Amino acid sequence: MKTLRFYGLTTLILFLGHGVVIGQSKQSTIKIEDFDDAPIISKHIYGHFAEHLGRCIYEGFYVGDNSMIPNTEGVRNDIIDALKELQIPNLRWPGGCFADTYHWKDGIGPQENRPTIVNTWWGGVTEDNSFGTHNFLNLCEVLDTEPYLSGNVGSGTVQELADWVQYTNFKGKSPMSDLRRENGRDEPWTVKYWGIGNEAWGCGGNMRPEYYADIYKKYVTFMSDADVEGGLYKIASGASNDDYNWTEVLMKNIPKKMLQGVALHHYSVIDWSAKGSDVDFTEDLYFKTMKESWLMEELIVKHTAIMDKYDKEKQVDLIVDEWGGWYEVAEGTNPGFLYQQNTMRDAMIAGMNLNIFNNHADRVKMANLAQTVNVLQAVILTDKEKMILTPTYHVMNMYKVHQDAKLIPLSFESPKYTYEGESLPAVNASASMDDSGKMHISLVNIDAHNENMVSIDLNALGIREVTGRILASDKLQDHNTFDNPNKIEPKDYKDFTFKKGVLEVELPPFSVVVLEGIK
C-alpha cells in the first residue's frame, strides 16, 4: 500500500494503469501535514473558458440588447448572476481553435459596419462579429473577473497582436487608444493575461515546438507592458497531454523574463474516435473516464518536473487552460457545436481535478474549465429563455472557498475503486485555511457502488465546530434538465461525527463533500 501525500510532487501516477494494489479497506485516515511553508491556492485555478463555439457566445452568453430575455448590453442577466455567485476569477476568450482565426478589429466599431466571419472550426456557421472586444471586456468588468485574451498567432500578425494590447491597455495618446476612444471607451480595461496562440502543435498552426518557441519570442517582443502594473502575464501555448518534449523545448529555449506561464491541455476522453454518450454511459465507460481524469495528476507531476529542471525558483507557472469531460454530442444536436449534458460523472471530474490543482498550488496557478455555457463540461446550459445550472456548476460553487486560501497538505491511504481487475484511488481530497481561520476540506468518492469512510484528526488546527455540504444523486447518469432543473443540487451534509477533535466522515458512492471547520 502506498501513501498519497497531496502536496508538491505526489505519487498518484503509480496508480494509473500499472497494476498497483491499494488496500482493501474502506476506511481511510487522513493526516493533516505541517503547512507553514505551504503555498496559496490561486483563485485563478477556478477560471473559465468562453470560445466562439456552438452556442457558447451566441444564444448562450449573448442574446443581443433587443432580446426579450433580460440582459445587460446583450449578455443574459441570469448568466451574469450565476457567474457572480461562482466568483469566477478569470474568463478566457475568444478561443480555443477559434482564436487563431479571429481578427479583433472585425469586432469593434458600429455593429452594422462589422464584417462577417465563417467559423471554420466549429460547425461552419457565419457569425456577424456582434460580440467583440468591448462586449467581452465590459462583461468582465460586470463580473469583476480578469479577462484572459487568446491572441491570434496562427493566421494573425505580430502587429495585429501588438495593436490589440495597445487598444485594451494604453492610457495615453496613440493610434489604438485613439481608436478605442472613437468607439466609446475612454479608459483602458487593463488586460493583464494574454495567451500567445492556442494549441500551436495542432489547430494553431501544426508547428514544431522549436519553431513555436521562436515565434513566441517574436510576438512577445512587441507586446508592450505599458500601463499594466507588474507587466503583462504572457502564457505560451503548451503541451497536449503527455507531450513532454513540447514543455522541455519551451522551457529550454524561451528566457524566463519573457515567459510567465506555460499551458497544458488535457480532456478526460476515453477514445477520440468513439467518445461515448453524454448520458447513456455504462460503468465501463465511467471507469475509463475516471482513469483519464486521474491522469491529470501524472501529467502535472511530469510536466512540473521538466519545468523544475529549468526553473528551480518556480518563476514560470503551469496553466491548465483547457480541461474537462468530452463525449459525443447530445442526441439530435449539431456535431460541430459540442453540446453535451452534464451528469454526476462530470461532478466527479470537476471535484477530482480541482483537488489535484489545489494540491499542486506551488506550480499550477491558473486553470480554465472547458467551457462556460452550452459547450463540453459547461456550468450553465440554456434553451431560449430557460437556463439551468449543472452538477459541475454546483461543485465549483462548493469549492470556491479554496480560492486564495492557504493549502493544507494531506496524506492518507485511499481505498480502491475496482472494476474488472483494474483499480483507481476511490477517494481524493484537498484542504485549505482561509484568512479568517476557517478550514475547508473537499472530498470526492468516485466509487460507483461503495461508500467510503474517512477519519480526520483536526486537533492540530484547533477546530471546534464542523458543518458540511454534499452533492450526490441516485444514479451516475442523473442530470438536471430544463423540466427538472433542481434534480441535483447541494444539500446540507450531516453524515459525520466530530468528537474530541476527530472527524469521521461517511462518503456515499459518487459524491462530493465540502466540510467547513471553525475554531
Side-chain angles (χ1 to χ4, degrees):
M1 185 182 294
K2 299 290 184 180
T3 297
L4 312 186
R5 187 171 191 269
F6 288 102
Y7 174 42
L9 298 180
T10 66
T11 57
L12 279 174
I13 57 173
L14 298 176
F15 293 89
L16 298 175
H18 296 289
V20 174
V21 177
I22 311 171
Q24 298 292 329
S25 172
K26 295 297 180 182
Q27 172 78 38
S28 301
T29 299
I30 294 180
K31 181 181 179 182
I32 302 292
E33 301 285 357
D34 178 71
F35 60 101
D36 287 345
D37 297 323
I40 299 297
I41 298 171
S42 171
K43 66 180 181 180
H44 289 292
I45 283 173
Y46 292 80
H48 292 261
F49 177 25
E51 183 171 5
H52 285 243
L53 197 173
R55 296 190 301 114
C56 183
I57 299 298
Y58 301 108
E59 299 183 34
F61 276 96
Y62 188 73
V63 292
D65 52 14
N66 293 323
S67 174
M68 296 297 291
I69 299 173
N71 66 85
T72 299
E73 296 184 2
V75 177
R76 295 177 62 131
N77 288 342
D78 51 3
I79 287 181
I80 289 174
D81 291 341
L83 296 181
K84 281 185 175 180
E85 171 65 22
L86 279 191
Q87 299 174 12
I88 70 169
N90 66 77
L91 185 59
R92 182 177 180 238
W93 177 84
C97 292
F98 182 81
D100 283 298
T101 61
Y102 181 67
H103 300 283
W104 69 271
K105 289 180 182 178
D106 293 342
I108 61 173
Q111 290 195 358
E112 62 271 17
N113 297 336
R114 299 180 187 180
T116 60
I117 182 175
V118 177
N119 193 332
T120 55
W121 285 109
W122 306 117
V125 295
T126 299
E127 299 186 10
D128 63 4
N129 273 309
S130 56
F131 188 91
T133 296
H134 287 250
N135 307 81
F136 175 70
L137 296 181
N138 290 345
L139 168 62
C140 288
E141 285 189 333
V142 170
L143 293 174
D144 191 25
T145 193
E146 293 276 2
Y148 170 14
L149 292 180
S150 294
N152 183 344
V153 170
S155 69
T157 65
V158 173
Q159 187 65 56
E160 182 179 17
L161 185 52
D163 284 349
W164 205 11
V165 172
Q166 186 180 100
Y167 187 88
T168 59
N169 289 351
F170 191 57
K171 294 179 182 178
K173 181 176 176 57
S174 73
M176 290 301 103
S177 56
D178 287 348
L179 180 59
R180 182 187 70 237
R181 293 184 180 100
E182 288 176 19
N183 290 325
R185 175 77 183 199
D186 183 24
E187 291 298 314
W189 293 276
T190 313
V191 179
K192 185 177 184 68
Y193 296 97
W194 292 84
I196 316 306
N198 168 77
E199 296 189 354
W201 40 264
C203 63
N206 285 299
M207 304 179 194
R208 295 178 300 110
E210 293 83 2
Y211 180 77
Y212 172 71
D214 287 341
I215 289 289
Y216 174 92
K217 289 183 286 186
K218 181 178 180 180
Y219 271 75
V220 301
T221 297
F222 296 94
M223 296 172 66
S224 172
D225 286 331
D227 292 329
V228 178
E229 184 177 352
L232 301 179
Y233 188 102
K234 298 174 286 291
I235 300 169
S237 173
S240 171
N241 300 305
D242 59 354
D243 186 353
Y244 301 114
N245 180 62
W246 189 278
T247 300
E248 180 101 27
V249 170
L250 266 54
M251 292 300 298
K252 181 179 179 180
N253 290 285
I254 301 175
K256 288 195 288 293
K257 65 180 181 180
M258 303 180 77
L259 182 66
Q260 283 71 52
V262 173
L264 170 65
H265 290 180
H266 173 60
Y267 290 94
S268 301
V269 177
I270 57 172
D271 184 343
W272 284 101
S273 62
K275 295 186 285 291
S277 171
D278 60 334
V279 171
D280 298 321
F281 55 89
T282 62
E283 185 177 356
D284 182 69
L285 293 179
Y286 170 71
F287 186 88
K288 289 175 180 176
T289 303
M290 291 301 99
K291 186 175 179 179
E292 283 299 314
S293 188
W294 261 124
L295 184 59
M296 182 67 80
E297 171 72 22
E298 176 179 335
L299 296 175
I300 290 176
V301 167
K302 290 188 174 181
H303 282 289
T304 294
I306 294 168
M307 296 174 75
D308 288 346
K309 184 166 71 170
Y310 297 96
D311 176 30
K312 293 181 173 59
E313 300 81 15
K314 299 185 185 295
Q315 295 175 313
V316 180
D317 301 328
L318 185 59
I319 310 296
V320 190
D321 56 14
E322 290 189 28
W323 66 275
W326 192 326
Y327 322 113
E328 303 297 347
V329 301
E331 187 175 352
T333 64
N334 188 320
F337 283 9
L338 304 188
Y339 178 87
Q340 62 189 39
Q341 250 297 353
N342 199 285
T343 68
M344 284 301 297
R345 172 175 61 176
D346 296 285
M348 298 300 98
I349 293 173
M352 177 193 299
N353 278 271
L354 291 172
N355 281 339
I356 291 170
F357 300 150
N358 288 348
N359 289 319
H360 288 282
D362 59 332
R363 185 65 89 165
V364 178
K365 300 298 183 182
M366 181 186 287
N368 300 81
L369 175 69
Q371 294 186 14
T372 315
V373 184
N374 291 333
V375 173
L376 299 177
Q377 193 173 336
V379 294
I380 295 169
L381 300 176
T382 67
D383 179 15
K384 300 181 178 62
E385 77 284 356
K386 297 179 181 179
M387 185 196 82
I388 57 175
L389 307 177
T390 69
T392 297
Y393 176 96
H394 294 308
V395 172
M396 297 199 83
N397 202 19
M398 293 165 68
Y399 273 53
K400 69 186 180 185
V401 292
H402 291 304
Q403 292 187 23
D404 283 343
K406 190 170 187 178
L407 178 70
I408 300 175
L410 306 176
S411 61
F412 72 105
E413 296 174 346
S414 174
K416 65 182 179 180
Y417 167 35
T418 299
Y419 177 79
E420 294 192 346
E422 283 195 87
S423 295
L424 295 171
V427 176
N428 63 89
S430 66
S432 67
M433 183 77 72
D434 68 18
D435 289 341
S436 69
K438 291 181 180 178
M439 173 219 66
H440 295 97
I441 299 178
S442 48
L443 298 155
V444 179
N445 178 22
I446 68 170
D447 197 305
H449 304 288
N450 299 307
E451 69 179 26
N452 281 292
M453 302 295 294
V454 173
S455 175
I456 313 167
D457 189 337
L458 300 178
N459 281 290
L461 300 179
I463 300 300
R464 294 290 176 263
E465 180 183 346
V466 176
T467 58
R469 300 279 282 168
I470 186 171
L471 192 74
S473 195
D474 294 333
K475 297 193 302 180
L476 277 165
Q477 296 81 4
D478 284 348
H479 55 278
N480 293 332
T481 67
F482 295 103
D483 294 328
N484 189 3
N486 301 315
K487 180 179 179 64
I488 301 172
E489 58 184 0
K491 295 178 171 59
D492 288 340
Y493 171 74
K494 298 181 180 178
D495 287 336
F496 64 86
T497 61
F498 185 51
K499 297 179 180 178
K500 297 181 179 180
V502 177
L503 184 64
E504 300 279 350
V505 183
E506 179 183 305
L507 300 174
F510 53 94
S511 64
V512 179
V513 170
V514 175
L515 301 166
E516 178 176 278
I518 301 174
K519 296 181 179 180

